[in-house]
Every structure is written in C-alpha cells, then in structure tokens.
C-alpha cells in the first residue's frame, strides 16, 4: 500500500523558508500571494496490513516534530 504523509508547520510557528519564497515571488512580480508555508511530503510503500495506529505512531515518533508540526496521512489507491 502506498501512503503519503503531509507534514506542515503548525499555525503560529515562524516559517523562514516560506517567508523567503513569498519575498521571492513578490520580487518576480507576482501579486496577490498573501502567505507561503513550506511543508514536506513523505511517500512510503508499506505492507497492506499496516494499521492506522502504526502509521500514526511512525509520524509521532519520527516523521513529524509534534511540538511544531502537524501531519496528515493519505492512503493512495
């Protein structure tokens, strides 16, 4: 089974990389971009019998920093 884990910063956490991209877009003349937040995508192939609880545990223990990040698990058909 293919799984995608979307990891992003929690609201209120400063995002210097997002700010740099926002500034660069403005410098290139793009108007109307009000905010940019940068995250990451982790794609994994796991055994079909991998439980939701196991995926959640992987995220909490390794894939996301629970102090400053949120995550969302997406199972790909």
């Amino acid at each position: 089974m293919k799984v995608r884990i979307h990891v992003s910063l929690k609201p209120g956490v400063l995002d210097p990389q997002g700010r740099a991209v926002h500034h660069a877009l403005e410098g290139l003349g793009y108007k109307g971009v009000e905010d940019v937040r940068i995250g990451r995508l982790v794609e994994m192939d796991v055994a079909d019998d991998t439980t939701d609880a196991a995926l959640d545990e992987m995220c909490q223990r390794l894939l996301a920093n629970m102090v400053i990040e949120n995550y969302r698990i997406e199972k790909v058909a």
Side-chain angles (χ1 to χ4, degrees):
M1 163 175 54
K2 183 175 280 280
V3 177
R4 291 184 184 135
I5 312 294
H6 301 267
V7 182
S8 59
L9 290 170
K10 289 182 177 182
V13 175
L14 295 178
D15 185 354
Q17 190 176 14
R19 186 174 177 137
V21 169
H22 183 255
H23 181 71
L25 288 169
E26 285 181 335
L28 291 171
Y30 294 101
K31 305 295 180 204
V33 178
E34 295 183 14
D35 191 25
V36 177
R37 304 286 285 174
I38 302 293
R40 66 184 178 281
L41 173 67
V42 179
E43 291 187 337
M44 301 189 303
D45 287 316
V46 298
D48 288 340
D49 62 349
T50 303
T51 65
D52 291 347
L55 292 170
D56 195 53
E57 185 177 333
M58 289 177 206
C59 292
Q60 291 187 27
R61 295 187 67 196
L62 179 66
L63 301 176
N65 178 341
M66 297 307 300
V67 175
I68 63 170
E69 294 176 320
N70 291 321
Y71 64 89
R72 178 174 52 89
I73 299 169
E74 175 189 0
K75 294 180 181 176
V76 181

